Amino acid sequence: MGGHSKVLQTVLDVIRGGDVAKVSLSSKGNRIEDLIKMENILIRGEMVDGNIFIPKVDLDLRRVAGTVVILDGLLQGYGLKGQMGNSLGKNGRLTLSLNKYISPFHLDLLVHADLSQLPPILKRVVKEKNFLNELALIDNPSGEALGKLTI
């Protein structure tokens, strides 16, 4: 249905697998051919046991569950939970642009984190040179932490 749509390809690059418990699709248009244009389509689904890749921060998440809505070039997730390595996240919200000309990206997630995984993620996300210099001074972090991740 999406043909060679760049938006659909971006969705498939982000959502890499999983089970969809429920999905609905609706479309609008003045002409029949308008119904297959991605900008006219609303997709809402419930995912369980999914695999998600968030390209803007190179996060590869497993066992993802939650509600996903795709509309107007944005992928929005609600009530998200998932796992990355030994770290677990829950009660998450995600906004991700599916259009390279629009740049919103936002992630809020409660995290029970394996601290050894934190420095590589921070290096990909934070661009502040002074912060990165201080981060480089931390050698072999270990342990666990509870907190809220906001990107």
Side-chain angles (χ1 to χ4, degrees), residues 35-51:
L35 298 178
I36 61 170
K37 293 180 180 175
M38 286 304 294
E39 62 267 19
N40 295 331
I41 296 175
L42 166 65
I43 301 171
R44 182 181 314 266
E46 300 286 332
M47 175 181 273
V48 293
D49 200 25
N51 298 322

Side-chain angles (χ1 to χ4, degrees), residues 90-107:
K90 64 180 182 177
N91 297 334
R93 292 181 61 100
L94 169 69
T95 300
L96 176 66
S97 174
L98 301 174
N99 181 335
K100 67 180 180 179
Y101 302 110
I102 305 171
S103 62
F105 172 79
H106 187 82
L107 176 65

Side-chain angles (χ1 to χ4, degrees), residues 70-140:
I70 300 170
L71 176 66
D72 294 331
L74 291 177
L75 182 148
Q76 296 184 320
Y78 307 94
L80 300 175
K81 66 179 182 177
Q83 181 176 345
M84 187 179 98
N86 295 326
S87 298
L88 301 173
K90 64 180 182 177
N91 297 334
R93 292 181 61 100
L94 169 69
T95 300
L96 176 66
S97 174
L98 301 174
N99 181 335
K100 67 180 180 179
Y101 302 110
I102 305 171
S103 62
F105 172 79
H106 187 82
L107 176 65
D108 271 327
L109 190 65
L110 297 177
V111 179
H112 182 180
D114 174 347
L115 292 179
S116 68
Q117 293 181 288
L118 195 56
I121 294 169
L122 291 174
K123 286 178 187 176
R124 291 191 304 264
V125 175
V126 178
K127 302 302 177 200
E128 166 58 40
K129 197 171 205 170
N130 290 333
F131 177 85
L132 293 174
N133 289 338
E134 293 297 318
L135 184 63
L137 298 174
I138 300 172
D139 193 29
N140 296 322

